[in-house]
Amino acid sequence: MGMMMKARRYLRGSGRVLVFVLVASVVWLLFDMAALRLSMNDVTGQLLKERVIRDQQLIRQQSRATRAGRRGFKHPEQRMDPAATRAAKGPLGSHLELAHVYRHGGQKEDANIHNLHLPEGDPQHKGEAAQRNVPPKRDDPPKKEAVNLDMNAMESEKIRGSDGSVKVTLPVARPDNIKDAAPIVTHTSEPKTNKKDPSGLKAESGTDASPLPAGEASERRGEDARNKTLEKPVGSIGQGDPKDTPGPSIESRARQAGVHQVLSLDLTIAPRDARAAGQFGQPALVANNEKAEVKKRWDEGHFNVFLSDRIPVDRAIPDTRPETCAQKLVHDDLPSTSVIFCFVDEVWSTLLRSVHSVLNRSPAHLLTEIILVDDFSTKDYLKEQLDTYMSQFPKVRIIHLKERQGLIRARLAGAAVAKGEVLTFLDSHIECNLGWLEPLLERVYLDRKKVPCPVIEVISDKDMSYMLVDNFQRGIFKWPLVFGWSGLPEDHIKKNNLTISDPIRCPVMAGGLFSIDKKYFYELGAYDPGLDVWGGENMEISFKIWMCGGEIEIIPCSRVGHIFRGQNPYKFPKDRQRTVERNLARVAEVWLDEYKDLFYGNGYHHLLDKKNIDIGNLTEQIELRERLKCKSFKWYLDNVYPDMKAPLVKAEGLVFNHGLRKCLTLQHGVLFFDQCDISSKSQHFNYTWMRHVRQQDLCVSPNGKASGIALQECDHANPAHNWFHKSSNSALADHLISEFVSSHMCLEAGPQGDSLHLNPCESRNAFQKWEFTHYHAL
Ligand code: UDP
Ligand code: MN
């Protein structure tokens, strides 16, 4: 309109001017159109790029979350120590050297090997020699007595060998018939001179001298030991105040006198062949002409199945415990455990090695039974053949499920029939190391609400070698509930004076391997039976344990090797990713409180739309949490995992518009712009994980008509409330891009500051650029 007026005025004046103006206008118009097209192209390109980046991020997060699942990635691993590696490189015939490596991880050159080679043919001795050893009677009412840590009073029978080593038999506190059993070599301790032994407790101490440093001894002796442990208490991470550390519960069992040095049993079926493949945990070698076969068989287990079949089922592995572990004391009256292995289509040799490692390296009186739960495997060898093989071991029981239940419900089926006082869950492709069991049971004994996990070491999927892992590792999670390992913070180690053998507080367990008091497991409601197949159950049980009064610990003196596979070798009845994300959503809904936004907002946005997923009924789980009076997730983060960053919103504060240089204000249900005032509540907005721009319950949203903006009650399922902001470093990073409208539109302030619109995105338009005061996560 203004142009026409101008034109008319010029018409009256001068024709030349008119022509000039007309030409100029046309040129200007053409320029403008070209510029517009350019900017449209630019914006479309940017948006496309943004979307690609977002999609990539989403896919990455999800695949990380679902692929990683439980033991997603390995511990930071170390190869076996130099001596072991040396031995591995040397000729395999070097029996002696290998024996050293085996017994001491290559650290002690003067080591002696003492394996009990039991005669073949005697069923009693077939890996279960001590089967006839009746567990110590626990019928008597527990006596409340001070724990006796005085080795002199401990009636272990010690035999000094001709080589100077000491063989410790089982403490005589145990039933008489044990004494008649073939002497079980439990531990070899060479005479030590100045070896560091903080406990001061040595097997060979047959003298009158107090085995404990004077101060420590007097402190420990004569005190009611109910609140004493043989280990250091584990301080809470990042918390200076020791009262935050949950102490042993009142329900801790009463102590009985009597402790003994941890039993480092290692029975074998037959004398070990040092030349056997993989013996002593060494890498097994594959000849060139065998490589095709390795490849062919890989998918049976997603590891080197070919090699596994070659390795003895009772091979030796290096004793990777920290040095002090073999000298540690444990109570004589530890509870006994049912070991539960669930499996679906497990490789034969790996399953057998798992079972044998338990039979051979667990004190028989502490092993009630081994329960094998066959989760409806499809392989024939896991039916009669397995039953027949295992029938030679009276302690092994097999349950064949009639339908595929998945790991979680299979474990529940095993637990339901377990007779032991403690349940110990293990994966079916593991090898328990020397002395693995007692340190776990000791923790449960000290406090039935402690849930101890062994250190999970790495059995190479490629060469089946046994590898050490870094010290001070604990299980953690990252958003969106992705399991991982992380070292304890240095300052925490220093502050608490932690040594490598002290128990480590563990925010999240890896899931595969742990012991738990059976009664306590059921008090906690076991696992949520609504979790399917695999994944997320470690998060569920971890949050539940911590938030409902228990503790999860990693026990460095207990070590179990596990084959980490790149893929699950079994089929998922439904889509794998959907199964895992559904499980995780159940966990998030029940346990995460307001923090569930961080779960959904980190790549699981789509799960909020109930059309996409049915996570099932959660009533029972929510009721359980109330009944157990469990603490909040905030408490868990503050006390158990304080080094975790969990901002409840992505950004907050004033919402500054660059073009107007004013701030978004909401008063009496109306949005407008005003001078920025940090103290004004009406100018405080959150940019949430749900990608809402909100003040209390009200969300900034397109109003559906024209290009207006309205305030609506926030609704997670309504994509109209979602805005992308700072989602990448692109030219539109400062914009608020509506996720809802099909053609990408951005939130724009009217130049007068009196309106708010949705307009096509323009990267350089300052009225479309927004800035929050604080950004917590981008
Ligand atoms: N498992 C099972 N049923 C299933 C899935 C897994 O019994 O539906 C068993 C599996 O055989 C293994 C254990 O559960 O012994 C843990 O599974 P996996 O080793 O695949 O988990 P990861 O170690 O990879 O986390
Ligand atoms: Mn596993």
Side-chain angles (χ1 to χ4, degrees):
M1 198 57 196
M3 274 260 282
M4 291 300 285
M5 296 275 286
K6 259 186 231 162
R8 234 175 261 151
R9 213 181 305 138
Y10 284 117
L11 197 67
R12 261 184 249 126
S14 154
R16 251 182 282 167
V17 173
L18 170 72
V19 173
F20 172 76
V21 168
L22 270 174
V23 171
S25 305
V26 170
V27 170
W28 181 79
L29 207 75
L30 285 173
F31 259 69
D32 203 36
M33 279 170 67
L36 195 72
R37 197 163 328 126
L38 267 177
S39 108
M40 285 303 284
N41 282 343
D42 178 40
V43 168
T44 321
Q46 281 300 343
L47 287 170
L48 214 69
K49 226 160 80 191
E50 293 243 350
R51 181 162 250 178
V52 169
I53 292 169
R54 272 197 310 272
D55 288 353
Q56 280 172 347
Q57 278 172 347
L58 218 90
I59 291 163
R60 257 206 312 274
Q61 277 165 343
Q62 279 165 17
S63 72
R64 240 191 299 134
T66 53
R67 188 172 282 279
R70 303 186 309 136
R71 281 138 267 174
F73 41 95
K74 300 172 192 174
H75 263 124
E77 72 200 32
Q78 302 170 343
R79 271 268 155 184
M80 265 168 32
D81 46 57
T85 317
R86 217 169 44 239
K89 283 186 189 141
L92 264 170
S94 167
H95 292 217
L96 203 68
E97 194 170 5
L98 283 174
H100 289 180
V101 170
Y102 159 58
R103 178 60 190 86
H104 293 293
Q107 282 156 11
K108 302 167 194 171
E109 297 299 325
D110 57 346
N112 296 288
I113 184 165
H114 290 277
N115 295 321
L116 182 65
H117 304 306
L118 296 164
E120 265 187 296
D122 176 354
Q124 288 285 26
H125 284 139
K126 279 216 163 170
E128 238 193 311
Q131 170 66 27
R132 60 204 140 110
N133 297 344
V134 187
K137 282 205 186 95
R138 302 182 53 82
D139 304 347
D140 316 328
K143 283 176 242 150
K144 291 191 178 178
E145 282 175 42
V147 67
N148 187 348
L149 286 176
D150 188 339
M151 281 295 289
N152 297 321
M154 193 186 106
E155 293 178 77
S156 330
E157 193 182 328
K158 299 178 202 104
I159 311 157
R160 187 165 289 274
S162 55
D163 52 4
S165 68
V166 177
K167 299 168 186 176
V168 183
T169 60
L170 297 170
V172 290
R174 304 187 50 247
D176 280 343
N177 56 353
I178 290 169
K179 277 195 288 189
D180 305 329
I184 295 169
V185 178
T186 57
H187 171 72
T188 313
S189 83
E190 335 80 84
K192 292 190 195 101
T193 45
N194 56 354
K195 200 150 266 162
K196 190 175 136 250
D197 185 2
S199 71
L201 302 167
K202 290 183 183 139
E204 68 270 30
S205 67
T207 67
D208 293 336
S210 165
L212 286 169
E216 217 181 352
S218 59
E219 186 208 321
R220 289 193 188 171
R221 239 184 274 132
E223 268 193 36
D224 182 342
R226 247 171 305 161
N227 290 325
K228 288 276 166 204
T229 70
L230 301 184
E231 307 273 359
K232 267 185 215 154
V234 192
S236 75
I237 296 160
Q239 296 285 306
D241 190 347
K243 75 175 180 297
D244 290 330
T245 309
S249 78
I250 314 158
E251 289 164 271
S252 293
R253 71 196 71 237
R255 301 281 174 274
Q256 289 184 353
V259 289
H260 61 271
Q261 213 164 48
V262 85
L263 303 172
S264 305
L265 292 172
D266 195 6
L267 313 181
T268 59
I269 301 172
R272 282 197 172 115
D273 173 8
R275 264 172 262 257
Q279 189 61 279
F280 306 115
Q282 298 299 301
L285 305 171
V286 178
N288 272 339
N289 61 358
E290 293 167 334
K291 291 205 166 123
E293 188 67 11
V294 168
K295 215 169 152 210
K296 206 174 107 200
R297 301 205 53 204
W298 190 272
D299 289 352
E300 288 174 38
H302 282 291
F303 62 90
N304 199 331
V305 176
F306 171 82
L307 275 183
S308 175
D309 285 359
R310 266 199 184 169
I311 296 170
V313 288
D314 63 347
R315 73 158 164 182
I317 47 175
D319 179 359
T320 51
R321 293 172 296 177
E323 253 187 73
T324 52
C325 291
Q327 275 86 51
K328 286 229 157 107
L329 298 182
V330 290
H331 284 84
D332 292 343
D333 57 344
L334 293 179
S336 71
T337 188
S338 298
V339 170
I340 300 171
F341 286 107
C342 297
F343 57 91
V344 54
D345 291 347
E346 186 58 70
V347 170
W348 174 257
S349 54
T350 336
L351 177 62
L352 259 53
R353 208 170 297 114
S354 305
V355 173
H356 280 285
S357 77
V358 172
L359 287 171
N360 297 350
R361 300 196 180 106
S362 313
H365 69 287
L366 297 179
L367 183 65
T368 310
E369 62 198 343
I370 295 177
I371 300 172
L372 300 180
V373 185
D374 163 23
D375 188 12
F376 200 55
S377 295
T378 61
K379 312 273 188 214
D380 281 343
Y381 60 78
L382 293 170
K383 308 299 168 188
E384 284 89 355
Q385 191 185 325
L386 183 68
D387 295 349
T388 310
Y389 182 87
M390 292 298 168
S391 65
Q392 59 184 316
F393 309 112
K395 281 198 179 173
V396 180
R397 302 165 63 193
I398 305 182
I399 304 170
H400 295 284
L401 298 179
K402 298 274 172 298
E403 221 178 298
R404 176 80 179 278
Q405 292 296 337
L407 158 72
I408 296 121
R409 289 190 293 272
R411 280 188 174 173
L412 292 175
V417 300
K419 298 192 192 108
E421 210 175 316
V422 174
L423 304 172
T424 299
F425 294 105
L426 298 175
D427 271 13
S428 48
H429 34 262
I430 55 100
E431 283 167 73
C432 294
N433 211 320
L434 269 80
W436 74 286
L437 183 59
E438 283 180 308
L440 299 179
L441 298 178
E442 175 73 10
R443 299 308 282 178
V444 179
Y445 175 94
L446 293 176
D447 181 346
R448 59 188 288 271
K449 293 186 174 178
K450 279 185 193 290
V451 179
C453 309
V455 169
I456 308 179
E457 299 200 280
V458 179
I459 301 171
S460 162
D461 55 345
K462 297 182 186 63
D463 60 23
M464 296 295 287
S465 61
Y466 190 99
M467 288 182 278
L468 291 152
V469 292
D470 279 355
N471 296 319
F472 296 119
Q473 293 295 311
R474 69 210 163 115
I476 50 130
F477 75 89
K478 294 229 159 84
W479 301 110
L481 298 185
V482 182
F483 175 80
W485 301 102
S486 121
L488 274 179
E490 259 321 305
D491 57 334
H492 175 77
I493 298 172
K494 283 209 186 90
K495 203 168 70 196
N496 293 281
N497 243 336
L498 292 183
T499 73
I500 51 169
S501 64
D502 288 326
I504 298 165
R505 270 162 73 95
C506 180
V508 180
M509 69 160 81
L513 328 171
F514 65 98
S515 292
I516 187 166
D517 180 276
K518 188 172 71 191
K519 253 184 79 208
Y520 182 53
F521 182 64
Y522 283 111
E523 276 165 34
L524 284 176
Y527 282 114
D528 166 9
L531 299 174
D532 277 331
V533 190
W534 177 97
E537 90 293 343
N538 61 323
M539 299 284 157
E540 196 242 351
I541 199 141
S542 300
F543 297 152
K544 185 149 63 178
I545 290 167
W546 280 113
M547 289 163 66
C548 312
E551 286 175 274
I552 302 169
E553 295 177 344
I554 289 177
I555 310 299
C557 287
S558 172
R559 307 179 85 91
V560 176
H562 170 258
I563 307 177
F564 288 83
R565 289 99 50 102
Q567 286 179 44
N568 304 98
Y570 41 80
K571 286 207 174 66
F572 276 65
K574 288 182 205 137
D575 179 75
R576 184 187 188 280
Q577 178 161 325
R578 295 197 136 241
T579 306
V580 177
E581 61 190 30
R582 180 187 170 278
N583 286 354
L584 290 173
R586 278 184 78 87
V587 176
E589 286 294 336
V590 177
W591 296 101
L592 296 196
D593 303 327
E594 66 273 30
Y595 291 87
K596 71 182 177 192
D597 283 10
L598 280 100
F599 166 73
Y600 290 114
N602 276 286
Y604 283 126
H605 219 261
H606 62 286
L607 298 183
L608 285 164
D609 189 347
K610 299 289 171 262
K611 285 197 298 293
N612 283 338
I613 195 152
D614 173 16
I615 64 169
N617 191 319
L618 294 171
T619 324
E620 274 183 32
Q621 301 309 306
I622 292 165
E623 276 172 14
L624 174 85
R625 187 176 158 180
E626 280 162 16
R627 195 168 61 245
L628 295 175
K629 301 201 167 48
C630 306
K631 297 191 178 86
S632 65
F633 196 73
K634 182 173 189 325
W635 175 90
Y636 166 84
L637 288 176
D638 290 347
N639 292 278
V640 182
Y641 191 16
D643 38 334
M644 171 60 155
K645 285 191 180 48
L648 279 168
V649 292
K650 292 178 106 171
E652 67 183 311
L654 303 173
V655 189
F656 175 74
N657 184 279
H658 281 255
L660 278 180
R661 311 207 62 79
K662 284 187 174 174
C663 283
L664 194 63
T665 312
L666 168 58
Q667 243 167 20
H668 311 301
V670 182
L671 277 175
F672 59 99
F673 290 93
D674 209 343
Q675 294 305 323
C676 296
D677 172 9
I678 194 83
S679 65
S680 165
K681 283 218 165 67
S682 59
Q683 290 188 356
H684 191 279
F685 289 82
N686 286 333
Y687 179 57
T688 71
W689 289 102
M690 299 297 110
R691 302 201 279 261
H692 292 167
V693 177
R694 69 187 279 172
Q695 193 175 92
Q696 263 112 38
D697 294 340
L698 293 177
C699 274
V700 177
S701 151
N703 73 355
K705 278 182 261 121
S707 58
I709 293 296
L711 279 164
Q712 292 181 358
E713 201 152 303
C714 298
D715 175 3
H716 288 166
N718 187 351
H721 297 173
N722 300 353
W723 302 90
F724 285 116
H725 179 60
K726 305 269 185 197
S727 52
S728 71
N729 289 327
S730 74
L732 294 177
D734 297 329
H735 292 50
L736 281 161
I737 312 163
S738 172
E739 200 179 309
F740 177 52
V741 268
S742 50
S743 59
H744 285 286
M745 301 286 262
C746 282
L747 189 68
E748 183 176 327
Q752 255 63 51
D754 53 358
S755 62
L756 205 54
H757 296 284
L758 215 49
N759 274 343
C761 299
E762 295 168 336
S763 58
R764 280 184 211 95
N765 186 342
F767 292 92
Q768 292 188 1
K769 292 189 180 187
W770 307 86
E771 187 92 29
F772 286 78
T773 319
H774 303 289
Y775 285 88
H776 303 296
L778 289 177

